[in-house]
Amino acid sequence: DAGVIQSPRHEVTEMGQEVTLRCKPISGHNSLFWYRQTMMRGLELLIYFNNNVPIDDSGMPEDRFSAKMPNASFSTLKIQPSEPRDSAVYFCASSLGGLTGAGELFFGEGSRLTVL
Amino acid sequence: KNQVEQSPQSLIILEGKNCTLQCNYTVSPFSNLRWYKQDTGRGPVSLTIMTFSENTKSNRRYTATLDADTKQSSLHITASQLSDSASYICVVRSLWGKLQFGAGTQVVVTP
């Protein structure tokens, strides 16, 4: 059974360019999370979707970040324009149940973003 | 202040030896606590979940403990193997569903 699939695995771009990260959650999971991981701050929640609806986007750094989940099997995280401080590993995770459940988070392999 | 504190930040152990990682939390009201293992370049994977009523749980060579009164958890690795080299992250969930992540403990197992 396929796990959470993220693409691209690696992205190197120049400051000011648009970056789009993609995620396919595990089939049947109704919750999807985008996290950012850096050495300094560890894992930080950016946004959480439940049944394709954004529930908590308080972690989204600023207006340059946006996320969508047009259907149950696909989500995107977009950064426009990108800045060097956005360099990090971005993880997508999915789970059964909402935040109030005890569901295990299943993480993708991550997208390593480097903004020059 | 982070509501989940892990110690040590990193440790190096010889293959075959045991080690214990600590997680102290202030998250309240408490729902559950998970230990995740994150291999280099990979996403975190859940090792075990501890709920309020559980004190000890084992998963192969990993044994987790929970003291809900003192709000402390530990992860003990027995007879470490090279494949245990990873970051171990403690994640605490509140009853309202919010997840708090620890900064992780980086474990290096040397031959």
Side-chain angles (χ1 to χ4, degrees):
Chain A
D1 189 19
V4 175
I5 300 172
Q6 291 187 245
S7 65
R9 288 296 313 276
H10 302 274
E11 174 92 4
V12 180
T13 190
E14 293 186 344
M15 184 173 61
Q17 296 299 305
E18 178 179 292
V19 173
T20 300
L21 308 179
R22 297 172 177 80
C23 175
K24 177 178 169 56
I26 292 173
S27 177
H29 283 190
N30 62 344
S31 292
L32 184 140
F33 307 79
W34 281 100
Y35 287 92
R36 177 171 65 179
Q37 186 176 42
T38 60
M39 288 292 291
M40 291 295 294
R41 302 172 69 96
L43 277 163
E44 301 174 284
L45 176 67
L46 298 176
I47 188 168
Y48 154 59
F49 291 88
N50 185 248
N51 294 321
N52 312 337
V53 177
I55 303 299
D56 180 3
D57 66 354
S58 59
M60 295 287 264
E62 48 199 89
D63 291 345
R64 298 184 299 106
F65 285 68
S66 63
K68 293 181 180 179
M69 192 165 186
N71 56 63
S73 59
F74 184 66
S75 177
T76 59
L77 178 68
K78 186 174 293 186
I79 308 172
Q80 166 63 20
S82 59
E83 297 182 1
R85 59 191 168 123
D86 301 330
S87 297
V89 181
Y90 291 81
F91 285 102
C92 175
S94 70
S95 73
L96 273 174
L99 268 184
T100 53
E104 174 183 351
L105 292 179
F106 291 83
F107 286 83
E109 299 287 60
S111 294
R112 179 175 293 277
L113 173 64
T114 302
V115 183
L116 304 174
Chain B
K1 189 180 190 314
N2 196 351
Q3 296 186 49
V4 179
E5 298 284 350
Q6 290 189 242
S7 62
Q9 189 174 22
S10 62
L11 66 92
I12 301 173
I13 57 173
L14 288 174
E15 187 178 12
K17 298 296 186 182
N18 304 335
C19 69
T20 300
L21 317 180
Q22 298 289 343
C23 175
N24 297 340
Y25 62 92
T26 59
V27 174
S28 182
F30 173 83
S31 176
N32 63 62
L33 180 151
R34 282 188 187 270
W35 284 94
Y36 284 82
K37 179 187 179 191
Q38 184 176 19
D39 292 317
T40 301
R42 309 292 295 273
V45 175
S46 177
L47 289 174
T48 186
I49 179 173
M50 304 295 290
T51 57
F52 189 87
S53 59
E54 295 174 310
N55 297 119
T56 303
K57 185 180 288 185
S58 293
N59 176 5
R60 295 173 296 186
R61 294 178 296 99
Y62 300 103
T63 299
T65 68
L66 175 67
D67 186 334
D69 291 331
T70 62
K71 298 187 176 181
Q72 296 179 325
S73 176
S74 68
L75 182 69
H76 186 78
I77 304 175
T78 303
S80 60
Q81 299 178 358
L82 297 179
S83 59
D84 293 329
S85 295
S87 178
Y88 293 83
I89 302 170
C90 175
V91 183
V92 183
R93 183 189 294 266
S94 73
L95 276 179
W96 318 131
K98 191 169 179 64
L99 295 174
Q100 296 287 349
F101 285 74
T105 293
Q106 186 68 43
V107 174
V108 175
V109 181
T110 63

